[in-house]
Amino acid sequence: MDNLYSLTAGELLGLLDKKTIKPEEIIESVYSRAQSVDKKIKGYLNLDREKALSRAKSLPSSGKLKGIPVAVKDNICVEGELTTCASKILRGFKPPYNATVIEKLKSEGAVIFGKTNMDEFAFGSSCENSSYFPTLNPWDTARIPGGSSGGSAAVVSADEAVMAIGSDTGGSIRQPASLCGVVGMKPTYGRVSRYGLIAFASSLDQIGPLTKDIKDAALLLGVIAGFDEKDSTSVNVPVPDYASYLKNDVKGVKIGIPKEYFVEGMDKEVEASVREAIALLKGKGAQIVDVSLPHTEYAVAVYYILATAEASSNLARFDGVQYGYRCEDPANLLDMYERTRGEGFGAEAKRRIILGTYVLSSGYYDAYYLKAQKVRMLIKNDFEQVFKSGCDCILTPTSPTPAFKVGERSADPLSMYLSDIFTISVNLAGVPALSMPCGFTKSGLPIGMQLIGNFFEEGKIFNAAYAYESNTDWHKRSPKL
């Protein structure tokens, strides 16, 4: 078969089980596709055909993902592979160990297939802040794919990868999934180990799947989820069989619609598509109820105080001594520190380090950081109240607009930050959420909707998402490249 690259992991695993195809054929097909289209998309930072083929030939004979290539965001450590966070300051860095998610993928037979582009250190909502090059949206290459996991979302959308792994700190899996027309999930905080994920904001970061459909998302999350003693924030909660939730039946499922997520100024086509999705689920028997998340309006401000504070602390380790880039011919130690960081970090990274250092500084800690932590608790309480009222999940738009044009918001950081206005609260609360396709604009751009669940109830999200997907064909459409 010459179109293996266009199939889902579930379809490919069926062919592998029947011994109709070999893992090497999948690698050759996907690699050939990437060679053909990635010059337009620029989703990959590193892609090595020989290494992927060698891995495919040495696979175990069993495993949930045997023979399936999985692309990996460049902030997740793969032993001996370049891992740079798309930043100059980590240029040339090769970790001496695998992230826990990489070990889990390999133990189930997945082929680690290339590292994908991202906003530097996951700082961005457009994938334009990479120190290498911007990634472009497969549906319209004049537009951004979303960020910061824009590379992972774009290569899945363009059939350059069967599945991909991304990270989500404020919407960095769900927003690009929405703008590229694929499925992306941020699990409950603590559900997936962060060991080996280069930290942006440690209390918000989560690793999650980007896939072509809901079935693949459930499969991939089932592989990477689970307790890890190497991560002190990992939670020892049993991982259910997510496939058991994939039923085309939402009768009696209670779905909350928060009024704060349908605001003036959002794109009319986005709102119309999401409301049509709500109507479809209601028609299939779901119970639709109005709910309120009253502290949503503070989420963006709280997020950019807490996330930048944690980022400024986490990035202090990159000083030219232990990792990656170091300036040439420093005059002394202080000159080496200053020039290495000045030359190594990009503009957005510097902006966030400065902002984070400011809010943590003496005299401002109580006014900004401490107050933001208190408001974060109110945002978390909002979600808990909704789920205590009996809601199984909450449905919202993922992004207030479809993909915007390259460079359109580069000079306006606040406008860029508002791209994640519907996804940030989820990270602050720590609950799981998924973005999936729910329509297209008249100009052919994907629109995504978000399903939010209670802590460790990803299964209920998969149930509602699968029921919707089973009655629509948005996920089957592919960009013309």
Side-chain angles (χ1 to χ4, degrees):
M1 296 177 67
D2 57 3
N3 65 338
L4 294 176
Y5 61 82
S6 65
L7 303 182
T8 66
E11 292 169 333
L12 290 168
L13 286 167
L15 295 174
L16 286 167
D17 286 341
K18 295 176 184 174
K19 301 189 184 306
T20 307
I21 59 171
K22 297 178 180 178
E24 302 94 289
E25 294 175 64
I26 302 174
I27 300 298
E28 291 284 18
S29 179
V30 178
Y31 181 81
S32 176
R33 172 69 174 179
Q35 286 290 96
S36 170
V37 304
D38 202 54
K39 53 183 175 288
K40 302 177 187 174
I41 307 303
K42 300 181 179 179
Y44 281 109
L45 291 176
N46 298 297
L47 185 56
D48 188 328
R49 171 180 173 272
E50 298 306 320
K51 194 172 286 185
L53 278 174
S54 175
R55 286 170 173 158
K57 290 174 182 174
S58 62
L59 286 171
S61 57
S62 60
K64 295 178 182 175
L65 291 174
K66 57 183 178 184
I68 301 299
V70 179
V72 177
K73 188 175 179 179
D74 199 41
N75 59 351
I76 297 172
C77 291
V78 179
E79 183 179 3
E81 299 273 334
L82 285 171
T83 302
T84 69
C85 288
S87 176
K88 181 180 178 181
I89 206 162
L90 275 176
R91 192 164 289 180
F93 173 63
K94 293 182 178 179
Y97 68 99
N98 281 321
T100 294
V101 293
I102 299 300
E103 291 291 349
K104 283 176 173 283
L105 288 169
K106 292 174 71 174
S107 69
E108 292 292 348
V111 179
I112 305 305
F113 187 78
K115 300 299 288 290
T116 55
N117 198 20
M118 56 184 284
D119 286 302
E120 182 181 9
F121 283 103
F123 298 155
S125 304
S126 66
C127 218
E128 295 172 288
N129 294 320
S130 167
S131 66
Y132 297 96
F133 43 75
T135 294
L136 305 174
N137 192 308
W139 293 90
D140 180 350
T141 54
R143 297 176 184 271
I144 57 94
S148 64
S149 305
S152 291
V155 297
V156 173
S157 175
D159 288 331
E160 299 179 62
V162 178
M163 306 169 124
I165 294 289
S167 68
D168 191 315
T169 306
S172 291
I173 288 175
R174 290 159 288 152
Q175 187 247 18
S178 172
L179 303 191
C180 289
V182 298
V183 175
M185 171 168 255
K186 185 209 89 72
T188 306
Y189 185 78
R191 173 62 97 185
V192 176
S193 172
R194 294 185 300 108
Y195 178 76
L197 169 68
I198 297 176
F200 160 10
S202 305
S203 75
L204 301 164
D205 299 336
Q206 271 291 274
I207 297 173
L210 287 137
T211 60
K212 297 177 182 178
D213 66 7
I214 298 299
K215 187 177 180 181
D216 279 8
L219 173 64
L220 188 49
L221 181 61
V223 169
I224 64 175
F227 177 66
D228 179 17
E229 62 182 15
K230 295 177 181 175
D231 177 3
S232 62
T233 61
S234 177
V235 181
N236 194 359
V237 174
V239 179
D241 176 12
Y242 293 123
S244 67
Y245 290 90
L246 303 182
K247 301 171 183 173
N248 182 11
D249 182 4
V250 284
K251 288 178 182 173
V253 172
K254 192 171 179 180
I255 300 176
I257 310 298
K259 60 183 180 183
E260 293 83 2
Y261 283 66
F262 293 86
V263 295
E264 188 175 344
M266 69 183 292
D267 185 272
K268 297 298 181 188
E269 288 182 287
V270 170
E271 180 173 0
S273 290
V274 174
R275 291 202 180 280
E276 286 175 15
I278 294 169
L280 187 151
L281 288 166
K282 185 177 182 180
K284 294 298 175 183
Q287 182 184 356
I288 306 297
V289 296
D290 293 328
V291 298
S292 178
L293 298 167
H295 295 94
T296 298
E297 63 178 302
Y298 306 113
V300 172
V302 167
Y303 174 83
Y304 278 97
I305 290 173
L306 299 181
T308 56
E310 294 184 26
S312 71
S313 176
N314 280 323
L315 268 58
R317 75 192 69 176
F318 303 117
D319 55 11
V321 176
Q322 300 177 78
Y323 307 102
Y325 174 79
R326 180 181 294 179
C327 70
E328 293 186 358
D329 302 322
N332 50 47
L333 184 62
L334 184 59
D335 182 50
M336 190 276 290
Y337 283 141
E338 290 179 347
R339 285 178 46 212
T340 294
R341 288 171 66 82
E343 295 167 13
F345 287 121
E348 183 61 27
K350 290 175 184 173
R351 183 180 295 117
R352 299 198 185 204
I353 290 170
I354 292 169
L355 181 58
T357 304
Y358 177 78
V359 301
L360 287 176
S361 60
S362 176
Y364 296 101
Y365 178 91
D366 288 353
Y368 295 106
Y369 186 78
L370 189 60
K371 185 168 289 186
Q373 288 285 27
K374 292 177 180 177
V375 181
R376 177 183 190 172
M377 187 56 67
L378 296 176
I379 292 169
K380 179 171 176 280
N381 290 344
D382 286 349
F383 283 99
E384 289 178 341
Q385 290 303 314
V386 169
F387 291 119
K388 280 181 182 176
S389 73
C391 279
D392 294 295
C393 53
I394 298 169
L395 195 155
T396 77
T398 307
S399 170
T401 67
F404 48 89
K405 290 188 175 178
V406 174
E408 186 177 319
R409 301 183 185 179
S410 299
D412 185 355
L414 184 58
S415 172
M416 187 74 83
Y417 296 166
L418 291 173
S419 300
D420 294 333
I421 192 169
F422 294 152
T423 54
I424 279 173
S425 296
V426 165
N427 297 76
L428 293 169
V431 292
L434 172 146
S435 178
M436 65 184 299
C438 71
F440 284 81
T441 66
K442 291 177 182 175
S443 58
L445 297 173
I447 296 171
M449 70 174 184
Q450 179 175 225
L451 287 160
I452 305 168
N454 201 355
F455 297 96
F456 299 103
E457 291 189 349
E458 288 88 353
K460 289 185 177 179
I461 297 177
F462 284 133
N463 170 228
Y466 185 75
Y468 177 78
E469 185 183 83
S470 299
N471 291 282
T472 58
D473 66 353
W474 308 117
H475 63 292
K476 295 180 179 177
R477 300 188 184 188
S478 297
K480 295 177 181 176
L481 291 166

